[in-house]
């Protein structure tokens, strides 16, 4: 069993998701319970695969898998290095949490949720695993198509409009990707990233412009995915419109772009070439600007989803900055930051989903909702702190490591200024949003509480007189006041306690918060792993040797009676 | 242009003499036919005319494909011609039905 | 028999199509084609309009010859019309009353009329009793109707009804 | 090497087909009215294609030393489908004309089209 | 005029036309544009394997298997994949266009209130039966 | 193991605590600290360390030296008192658990700051204090001023924290380690580094913001919206002291140079004076204390800035003293607030009568604040005066320093006097909501303890605080042993000297100033407070937010066209940059150039004109679609001409299906594209130029590539496709075998496309959108006698369906060797089905064939996936294809390749995805059938 898992480690995360997707389709649309069971089994298996990948790669192994048993670069190769292992585990973890959130949500799943969800995971895993440029395109398409479906769950006007932008932009991105990938093939005659690395290195000077065009175009494509300036504008609208658990899953989306940029800068165009340094220079201008732009966006955000969306943009900017700096320490910090920011994003989105249950996404909840809100508030603080890089949470650790890693770089002053300024603005943004959401007591707060408790909102327009009562009048107004107030004006909650539901919805966010705290406390082993991963990335010849050196299994020779065809 | 013609002849050297020239004539004729279809496509004046032009272009392309198969001495283009013959009309039918009643699938 | 081969003619046609597609008379293809020719109609026959029961193979061949001859002849006529001055062309719509009732027969008539140049079947009337024919150059509409009915409809009547 | 008679035959088919197709498309381009134009391509093209396919049949039967009949299928399919296109187009075009067409026999036997309704 | 220049220009024109339509502000125009872009991209991929006339990559007995005798099969396979994917995405985009028109009452790609968004018809109430 | 306790605090801070539990923890910590006292006294430095951030070379390490001991003592000692006080202070309906949890959280963070053995850890805890103080200040969350105050504190200290982080990272870069021991020993390295000034500035920025030094002092008064225990704790003893702690901590490394001297002493002096003067004019008790705190912090800063060992000792001493008396004053103010419901000195008068004990305590503490002899404040003030007179670096300063010190002393006497006089005497209370009384017994205990400490230290300094001061100062100066300490004496009486004179002047002056002020302008009538930087801060934050919002809206304006344009321009710019950077292009053309014959040129022109036609006609959508169809046809012909039969087939089929889909949807969309608003002509030109640039770029690339020699991996496919792939059609073998994995992803995408269309449109009912076109439904009204469905079409469709299926199977079976394959077969099948839909209408077809296309997608993917996994059974990688020749009697060898099963999956998935999309769109206009 173990031997089997190890032999096929690279394909399992894709195959399991695919199998689960097909099974959920085949059992039929109406049998949601079976679909859910299948999805959970798949998630459990995916988690095991991710954990196994991390464990095995930490001992220095790299798994290369020759798809269809053809030797690279002729067939498609998958490779599990440390970076991939991290991403696999992270993907399945976020997937599990989103599943849990969906399971505990009051809202029923939309049409074809489970198949699309599974295909989404398949696409993500495939994009992280593949070592072939065109196959990367295919998996980009898989994960994008699935994300269209996830975005359009329970379609409404806002989602449709967001999807229009999201889909068109990504289709343009796909066209650019195809141009870049095929151009690289046209110049070098290969598609395997490891082989590309070698062939590009061996090219004469007159082909360099074409290879650079391809490289820059690739960067543009990945920058669209990673939401770098000026290609980031699709993101906040999309995230805002998406169902929040789905948005949590989207936390991984930009990371695909980031990982692809890592591969571009460390494998296809590794250190030492002129193209690499030009790419880095360009990114070092763009990425810090992205961070600053994102911080501005976050500060001006009027609702939680937009705020988180901008934070996602900002974290992508941070990651790409670190990648462009390219120092091992910065890369290691970036990987750490990547883990932390993904988890924090998911936490914030799922937490917002809990808020959303009270209809308070845009305005505020305050404390009138009772104890659950206190927890929601605490979780918001943790997520926001991790996202904004407040110590000691993961965001800070990653950021500090990146800053330390960029200390000797020529762009240090610019990078530091941008990082610190953006960090400052994000802290402000989260403080503003948090204090408005959880502290402010106003009409919307009670409205939210009433919705949370199932109080019919038809009463609202007639009872406009409530609104002035909501202004703070006593300096010592306490927690019970909201409830008292509702009792005083004679609104009886029709659903006695929605605690149970909300409590359940706290589980996934709680798990994420614990993960963040653990990531902080047990930073040492994680950082050792990311250090090694960064070192591995800095030495592309390891990947090249492993991918191109792997031999296919010997097949039994089949006698061919006819060669060719009559005509 | 003479060099291009000689290259073309070189590629069709497996043909008999008459056939070769006939094929050249045929290819030219069908290309001109396509150009005439395009003319009608541009001129219109009605949508029906344009659909008709496209339909004719499909048929001419079919013939052109078959002719190219003779020129290149290969049967691999037969399937393309077959598909045009079998299903190429569907586009025309659908467009016509769209003109006729809007809803193509009732 | 009817249950397993609901449309024997279609099945026969399919077998022929299969053999033509593969350009062969090989036993394997006969077998495979036969199997497919039986299997496919089992599924597709759920949508059908009437059952064609053509008789008189000879009439079919005769009609085919007539049509082929007409196609070649009127192709030349039309070519001359096209190449000549346009003012010579006097197009017109003509309703052809139908005696045919079988849908396949009507369809065949419409197809034949279209395939022979110079005429073109434009529509059936709503009750299905008239076929609207458009002719490129009509000198005598009544004569055209008579020709169509005698030359094509009569053999089709023999074949289908 | 191809026998001369076959060469001529194939060439002849090709030329005939090409000429008819060209005339059909010429008609499409030249004629001044849709109902006239539609007569050109829908037939001339079919015969044109038919002739070219005959040429192809002969040619490949010769080169592969076995009868090539699958071109017949193309002819069959075209003869099945081409009338449908024309038919549907005429249906659509007639909407634009928006005129009732009197029936020859109606005036004698059954009255006008309007009465029929 | 060399063949290479000709096909290069052809691809370029397709691309330019597609991009122009893509930059229009209405869903259906964008679909047309994206289709043209995908034509251009497919041809682009295809030509990355260079030009080969009359050399279909179907192995014939006795013909040495080199790129001088056969067209490059790999870009063709890639184009097949690209065609299929862009076809699927076209379907998705069309569905979104219909839904968007039903929800918004216009087919502009941006939400109302943006400059240049003209509402051409009153919103059509798309209803979702239970 | 002290660390364990600290960790416990941080950890437990998250959980809910009752107040007494908090107290127990604090006392336990304090006791633990005391047990370590002997070690510290002996000059040892207890340490605790676990690995934490190996990338940064930073561990989680704690070290307890004298300075840390001093601060630890303050934090825990005063913490315990504050906890006790808080139990009584909080209102009934304030959640105590959250309060104490936050308080403990803060305490843990603060302990972390003082105990951290490396700078990174210090920054971590530093920021945690900011965060927890944010939460504590905003504890009364419903109050707008509390929220604002909290945010302001966070903003200011947060900026400082980031500056500190930058400074620390720079230190790490220069020194090579973040370890405190190493850093403190690297004074020379640091101060000779070119980075020294930036480092110093950044670190000082951190310290000054935290300790509310000018010009960052303004947040502190607004933080007074916090509950009083918080103020007493954070704003007297702990958080604000973190800044001066940092000064003290890094003094050995960064101090002892001119930059340090000038900046620190100037800032300290300005803060000292400004705080003291403003304090006089406050009406709010806590406001007065806040400005007083600012002033005293300025004093401490100034002492560190004076840059002499003795001044440092004085600074450390004053840290202790200030913590003690200020905490007690805050608590006293809190008691007053608690008992009277007001902190406004204009309302509070004559409380001596109602609460004499509290009054006494407050008076003693005020005396300490004013620096009256026999109280602890006096001692450190004397030391300060001494140092002020000892400044000799600059003539001007030599004069200014004592004067400034005296003025500050005067002001502090004045505001202390105001505190005493204006609250406890000065007539009767005005408009209080409660009748003032003495507070509960135990609420007063903490104040009593602290005041007693003031007195004891004030009277017997050498015996009480002496040892503590000495180890703390030693650690501050980073001296190896106590013996090297500078000479100083702790005594009340130093004899008549200049400092004593200055004290006397300050005393007398202070009293005079207060009396004069009260007489002449009546302090109660001063409304506008001078120098409140809150306004500035608000404007600043407001501007940042406004600018951020404007910037965001400016760039992200919701226009998809803009976004697309940006992407395209970026891509073009990338290409241009590439050519510009690597100009060596197109040098060689070793490839013989084939020239185009007339036919190819003509066909290309047809395609070009057709695509241009699409653009020109785009407003008439149906027409544009026809042009596009023509362009697609030319693309297919191109594939034919350039030897790609599979592509030609696929292109033709996809073209047909696409057009059908587009027509089906166009029925529900406007048939014309409305022109955009007037005045956008230039936009069209801009787009045309961009589009042309994109086209030109692509053309250039294609031409460049086509004129280059080519070495590719492809010959491998040609060579192995028959012997190892089992098929002569190399393209198909690549698709199902070499790169079958791509195909798997591709069909997943197609299947998903179907699913997405279904989930998007299912259940939606849309009337056809006719606009003003003559097409479509308009027909029904005008020509009712025309049949809807065509008989001819129906008959032909029924004939074609089986034939097309036959053809589809034919393509499926032969794809491996000749053009064809599962995808093409699936499309043919789907088109044949579509034909039935068109001819007969959806209802009839779906009634005849009961089809769940979603399942088809599932089965197709399952078949493909299982084929892939099948190879696992025989131990080969995913999708490894095998083929066997089975010999069948009569027929001969029949090849069965596993790729065929894979292709079957493709086949099913293509049908499922395509039909699902089409059937869903077709169903849009059928309200009646939906119900059925
Ligand atoms: Na007073
Ligand atoms: Na194929």
């Amino acid at each position: 069993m173990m031997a089997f898992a190890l032999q096929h480690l690279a394909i399992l995360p894709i195959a399991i998701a695919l199998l689960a997707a097909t099974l959920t389709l085949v059992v039929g649309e109406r049998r949601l319970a079976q679909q859910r069971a299948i999805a959970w089994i798949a998630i459990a298996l995916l988690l095991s695969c991710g954990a196994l990948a991390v464990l095995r790669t930490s001992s220095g192994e790299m798994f290369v898998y020759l798809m269809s048993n053809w030797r690279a670069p002729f067939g498609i190769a998958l490779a599990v290095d440390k970076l991939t292992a991290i991403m696999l585990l992270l993907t399945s973890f976020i997937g599990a949490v989103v599943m849990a959130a969906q399971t505990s949500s009051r809202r029923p799943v939309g049409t074809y949720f489970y198949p699309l969800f599974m295909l989404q995971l398949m696409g993500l895993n495939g994009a992280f695993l593949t070592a072939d440029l065109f196959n990367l395109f295919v998996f980009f398409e898989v994960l994008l198509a699935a994300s269209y479906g996830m975005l359009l769950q329970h379609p409404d006007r806002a989602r449709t409009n967001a999807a229009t932008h999201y889909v068109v932009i990504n289709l343009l991105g796909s066209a650019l990707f195809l141009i870049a990938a095929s151009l690289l093939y046209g110049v070098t005659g290969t598609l395997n990233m490891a082989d590309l690395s070698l062939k590009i290195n061996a090219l004469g000077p007159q082909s360099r412009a074409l290879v650079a065009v391809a490289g820059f175009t690739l960067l543009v494509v990945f920058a669209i995915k990673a939401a770098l300036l000026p290609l980031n504008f699709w993101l906040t609208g999309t995230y805002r419109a998406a169902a929040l658990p789905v948005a949590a899953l989207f936390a991984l989306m930009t990371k695909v772009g980031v990982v692809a940029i890592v591969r571009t800068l460390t494998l296809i165009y590794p250190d030492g070439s002129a193209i690499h340094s030009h790419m880095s220079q360009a990114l070092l201008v763009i990425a810090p600007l992205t961070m600053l732009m994102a911080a501005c966006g976050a500060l001006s955000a009027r609702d939680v989803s937009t705020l988180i969306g901008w934070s996602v943009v900002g974290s992508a900017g941070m990651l790409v900055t670190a990648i462009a700096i390219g120092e091992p320490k910065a890369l290691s910090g970036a990987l750490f930051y990547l883990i932390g920011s993904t988890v924090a994003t998911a936490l914030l989105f799922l937490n917002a989903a809990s808020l959303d249950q009270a209809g308070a996404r845009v305005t505020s909840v305050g404390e009138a909702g009772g104890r659950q809100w206190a927890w929601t508030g605490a979780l918001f603080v943790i997520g926001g702190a991790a996202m904004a890089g407040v110590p000691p949470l993961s965001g800070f650790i990653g950021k500090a490591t990146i800053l330390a890693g960029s200390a000797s770089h020529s762009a240090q002053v610019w990078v530091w200024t941008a990082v610190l300024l953006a960090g400052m603005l994000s802290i402000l943004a989260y403080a503003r949003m948090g204090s408005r959401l959880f502290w402010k007591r106003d009409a919307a707060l009670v409205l939210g509480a009433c919705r949370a408790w199932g109080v019919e909102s038809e009463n609202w327009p007639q009872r406009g007189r409530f609104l002035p009562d909501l202004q703070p009048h006593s300096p010592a107004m306490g927690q019970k006041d909201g409830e008292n107030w509702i009792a005083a004006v004679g609104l009886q909650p029709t659903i006695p306690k929605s605690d149970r539901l909300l409590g359940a919805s706290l589980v996934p966010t709680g798990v994420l918060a614990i993960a963040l705290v653990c990531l902080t406390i047990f930073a040492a082993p994680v950082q050792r792993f990311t250090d090694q991963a960064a070192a591995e990335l800095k030495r592309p010849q390891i990947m090249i040797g492993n991918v191109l050196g792997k031999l296919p299994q010997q097949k039994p020779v089949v006698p061919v009676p006819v060669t060719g065809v009559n005509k | 242009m003479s060099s291009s013609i000689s290259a073309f002849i070189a590629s069709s050297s497996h043909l008999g003499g008459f056939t070769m020239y006939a094929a050249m004539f045929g290819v030219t004729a069908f290309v001109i036919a396509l150009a005439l279809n395009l003319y009608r496509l541009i001129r219109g004046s009605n949508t029906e005319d344009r659909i008709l032009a496209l339909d004719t272009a499909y048929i001419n392309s079919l013939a052109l494909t078959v002719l190219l198969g003779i020129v290149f001495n290969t049967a691999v283009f037969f399937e393309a011609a077959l598909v045009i013959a079998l299903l190429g009309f569907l586009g025309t039918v659908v467009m016509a039905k769209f003109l006729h009643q809007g809803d193509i699938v009732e | 028999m009817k249950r397993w081969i609901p449309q024997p003619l279609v099945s026969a046609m399919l077998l022929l199509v299969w053999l033509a597609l593969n350009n062969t008379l090989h036993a394997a293809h006969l077998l495979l084609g036969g199997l497919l020719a039986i299997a496919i109609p089992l599924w597709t026959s759920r949508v059908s309009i009437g059952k064609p029961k053509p008789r008189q193979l000879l009439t079919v061949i005769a009609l085919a010859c007539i049509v082929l001859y007409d196609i070649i002849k009127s192709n030349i006529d039309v070519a001359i019309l096209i190449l000549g001055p346009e003012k010579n062309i006097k197009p017109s719509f003509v309703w052809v009353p139908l005696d045919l009732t079988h849908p396949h027969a009507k369809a065949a008539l419409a197809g034949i009329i279209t395939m022979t140049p110079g005429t073109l079947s434009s529509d059936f009337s709503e009750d299905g009793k008239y076929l609207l024919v458009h002719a490129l150059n009509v000198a005598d509409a009544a004569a055209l109707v008579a020709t169509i009915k005698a030359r094509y409809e009569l053999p089709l009547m023999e074949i289908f009804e | 090497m191809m026998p001369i008679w076959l060469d001529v035959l194939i060439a002849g088919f090709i030329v005939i087909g090409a000429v008819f197709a060209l005339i059909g498309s010429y008609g499409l381009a030249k004629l001044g009215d849709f109902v006239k134009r539609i007569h050109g391509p829908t037939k001339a093209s079919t015969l044109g294609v038919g002739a070219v396919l005959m040429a192809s049949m002969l040619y490949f039967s010769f080169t592969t030393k076995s009868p090539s009949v699958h071109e017949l299928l193309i002819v069959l399919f075209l003869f099945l489908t081409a009338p449908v296109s024309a038919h549907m187009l005429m249906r659509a075009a007639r909407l634009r004309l928006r005129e009732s067409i009197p029936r020859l026999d109606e005036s004698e036997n059954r009255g006008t089209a309007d009465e029929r309704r | 005029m060399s063949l290479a220049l000709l096909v290069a220009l052809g691809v370029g024109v397709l691309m330019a036309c597609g991009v122009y339509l893509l930059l229009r502000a209405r869903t259906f125009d964008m679909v047309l544009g994206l289709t043209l872009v995908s034509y251009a991209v497919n041809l682009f991929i295809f030509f990355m394997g260079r030009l080969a006339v009359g050399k279909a990559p179907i192995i014939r007995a006795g013909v040495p298997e080199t790129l001088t005798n056969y067209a490059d099969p790999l870009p063709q396979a890639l184009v097949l994949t690209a065609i299929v994917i862009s076809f699927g995405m076209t379907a998705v985009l069309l569905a979104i266009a219909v839904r968007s028109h039903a929800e918004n009452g216009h087919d502009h790609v941006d939400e109302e209130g943006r400059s240049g968004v003209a509402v051409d018809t009153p919103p059509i109430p798309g209803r979702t039966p239970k | 193991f002290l660390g364990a306790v600290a960790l416990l605090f941080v950890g437990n801070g998250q959980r809910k605590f009752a107040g007494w539990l908090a107290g127990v923890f604090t006392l336990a910590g304090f006791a633990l600290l005391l047990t370590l006292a002997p070690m510290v006294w002996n000059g040892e430095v207890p340490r605790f360390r676990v690995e934490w951030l190996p990338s940064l070379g930073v561990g989680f390490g704690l070290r307890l030296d004298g300075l840390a001991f001093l601060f630890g003592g303050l934090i825990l000692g005063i913490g315990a008192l504050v906890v006790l006080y808080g139990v009584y202070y909080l209102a009934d309906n304030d959640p105590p658990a959250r309060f104490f949890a936050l308080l403990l959280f803060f305490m843990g963070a603060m302990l972390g700051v003082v105990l951290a053995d490396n700078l990174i850890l210090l920054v971590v805890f530093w920021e945690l204090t900011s965060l927890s103080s944010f939460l504590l200040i905003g504890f009364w969350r419903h109050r707008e001023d509390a929220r604002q105050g909290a945010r302001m504190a966070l903003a200011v200290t947060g900026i400082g924290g980031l500056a500190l982080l930058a400074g620390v990272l720079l230190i790490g870069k220069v020194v090579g380690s973040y370890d405190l021991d190493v850093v403190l020993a690297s004074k020379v390295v640091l101060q000779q580094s070119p980075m020294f000034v930036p480092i110093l500035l950044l670190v000082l920025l951190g310290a000054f913001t935290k300790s509310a030094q000018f010009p960052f002092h303004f947040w502190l008064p607004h933080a007074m919206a916090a509950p009083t225990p918080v103020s007493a704790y954070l704003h007297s003893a702990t958080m604000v002291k973190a800044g001066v702690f940092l000064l003290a901590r890094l003094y050995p490394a960064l101090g002892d140079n001119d930059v340090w001297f000038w900046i620190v002493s100037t800032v300290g002096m300005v803060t000292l004076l400004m705080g003291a003067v403003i304090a006089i004019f406050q009406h709010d008790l806590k406001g007065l204390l806040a400005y007083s705190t600012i002033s005293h912090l300025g004093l401490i800063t100034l002492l560190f800035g004076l840059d002499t060992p003795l001044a440092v000792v004085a600074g450390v001493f004053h840290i202790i003293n200030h913590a003690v008396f200020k905490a007690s004053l805050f608590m006293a103010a809190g008691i007053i607030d608690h008992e009277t419901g007001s902190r406004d000195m204009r309302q509070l008068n004559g409380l001596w009568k109602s609460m004499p004990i509290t009054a006494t305590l407050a008076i003693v503490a005020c005396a300490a604040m004013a620096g009256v002899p026999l109280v602890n404040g006096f001692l450190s003030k004397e030391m300060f005066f001494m140092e002020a007179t000892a400044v000799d670096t600059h003539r001007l300063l030599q004069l200014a320093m004592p004067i400034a010190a005296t003025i500050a002393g005067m002001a502090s006497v004045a505001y202390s006097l105001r505190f005493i006089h204006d609250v406890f005497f000065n007539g009767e209370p005005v408009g209080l909501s409660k009748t003032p009384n003495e507070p509960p017994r135990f609420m007063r205990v903490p104040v009593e303890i602290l005041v007693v400490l003031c007195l004891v230290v004030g009277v017997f300094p050498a015996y009480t605080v002496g040892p503590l001061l000495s180890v703390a100062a030693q650690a501050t100066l980073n001296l190896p042993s106590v013996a090297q300490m500078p000479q100083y004496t702790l005594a009340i009486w130093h004899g008549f000297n200049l400092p004593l004179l200055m004290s006397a002047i300050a005393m007398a002056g202070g009293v005079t100033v207060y009396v004069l002020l009260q007489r002449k302008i009546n302090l109660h009538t001063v409304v506008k407070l001078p120098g409140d930087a809150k306004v500035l801060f608000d404007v600043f934050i407001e501007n940042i937010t406004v600018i951020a919002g404007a910037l965001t809206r400016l760039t992200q304006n919701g226009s998809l066209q803009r976004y697309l344009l940006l992407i395209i321009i970026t891509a073009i710019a990338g290409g241009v940059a590439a050519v510009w950077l690597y100009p060596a292009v197109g040098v060689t053309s070793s490839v013989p150039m084939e020239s185009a014959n007339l036919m190819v040129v003509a066909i290309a022109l047809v395609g070009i004109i057709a695509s241009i036609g699409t653009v020109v006609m785009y407003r008439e959508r149906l027409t544009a679609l026809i042009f596009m169809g023509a362009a697609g046809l030319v693309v297919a012909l191109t594939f034919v001409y350039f030897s790609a039969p599979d592509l030609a087939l696929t292109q033709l089929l996809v073209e047909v299906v696409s057009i059908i889909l587009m027509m089906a949807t166009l029925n529900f969309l406007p048939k014309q594209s409305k022109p955009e608003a007037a005045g956008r002509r230039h936009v069209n030109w801009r787009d045309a130029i961009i589009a042309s640039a994109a086209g030109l770029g692509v053309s250039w690339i294609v031409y460049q590539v086509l004129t280059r020699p080519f070495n590719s991996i492809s010959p491998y496919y040609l060579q192995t496709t028959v012997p190892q792939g089992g098929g002569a059609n190399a393209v198909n073998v690549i698709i199902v075998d070499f790169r079958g994995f791509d195909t798997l992803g591709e069909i997943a995408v197609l299947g998903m496309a179907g699913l997405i269309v279904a989930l998007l449109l299912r259940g939606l009912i849309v009337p056809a959108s006719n606009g003003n076109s003559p097409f479509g439904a308009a027909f029904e009204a005008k020509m009712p006698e025309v049949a809807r469905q065509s008989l001819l079409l129906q008959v032909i469709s029924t004939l074609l369906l089986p034939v097309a299926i036959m053809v589809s199977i034919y393509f499926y079976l032969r794809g491996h060797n000749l053009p064809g394959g599962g995808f093409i077969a699936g499309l043919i099948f789907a088109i044949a089905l579509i034909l039935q839909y068109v001819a007969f209408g959806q209802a009839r077809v779906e009634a005849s064939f009961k089809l769940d296309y979603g399942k088809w997608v599932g089965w197709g993917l399952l078949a493909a996936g299982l084929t892939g996994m099948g190879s696992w059974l025989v131990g080969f990688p995913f999708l490894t294809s095998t083929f066997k020749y089975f010999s069948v009697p009569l027929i001969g060898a029949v090849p069965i390749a596993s790729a065929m099963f894979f292709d079957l999956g493709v086949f099913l998935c293509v049908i499922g995805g395509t039909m699902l999309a089409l059937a869903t769109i077709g169903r849009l206009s059928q309200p009646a059938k939906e119900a059925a």
Side-chain angles (χ1 to χ4, degrees), chain F residues 344-349 422-423 426 524:
Chain F
D344 191 334
M345 284 188 279
R346 287 165 297 188
Q347 295 183 324
L348 300 167
N349 290 315
D422 212 348
V423 173
N426 198 21
H524 287 191

Side-chain angles (χ1 to χ4, degrees), chain F residues 664-732:
Chain F
T665 48
L666 193 53
N667 190 30
F668 306 102
L669 294 172
K671 309 293 177 286
Q672 277 91 20
S673 187
K674 269 219 152 183
E676 309 228 341
R680 288 176 62 84
R681 190 161 278 256
H682 68 282
V683 172
N684 292 346
W685 276 110
R686 179 199 68 191
D687 291 350
I689 289 167
I690 296 293
S692 310
L696 263 179
V698 168
S699 293
W700 180 81
I701 296 172
V702 172
Y703 186 73
Q704 286 296 325
V705 171
L706 286 181
T707 51
R708 266 153 223 272
F710 191 35
N711 285 309
S712 156
I713 55 174
S714 283
Y716 180 85
Y717 300 121
L718 296 171
Q719 286 148 20
T720 49
T721 176
V722 172
Q724 290 182 51
N729 183 356
V731 174
N732 189 272

Side-chain angles (χ1 to χ4, degrees), chain F residues 646 729 732 815 818-821 824:
Chain F
D646 282 281
N729 183 356
N732 189 272
L818 286 168
I824 288 165

Side-chain angles (χ1 to χ4, degrees), chain C residues 102-157:
Chain C
H102 195 282
H104 284 243
K106 288 193 213 166
L109 180 62
I112 287 168
I113 287 172
T114 304
M115 292 318 293
T116 48
T119 52
L120 198 147
S121 54
S122 312
D123 210 347
F124 287 95
S125 66
E126 203 177 22
D127 55 10
K129 288 182 180 152
Y130 290 84
L131 176 64
L132 183 62
V133 172
H134 184 263
L136 185 59
N137 198 10
V138 184
D140 180 2
L144 178 68
V145 172
T147 315
I148 288 171
K149 289 187 80 76
R151 226 173 146 79
Y152 309 129
E153 194 185 14
L154 208 61
L156 285 171
M157 289 281 278

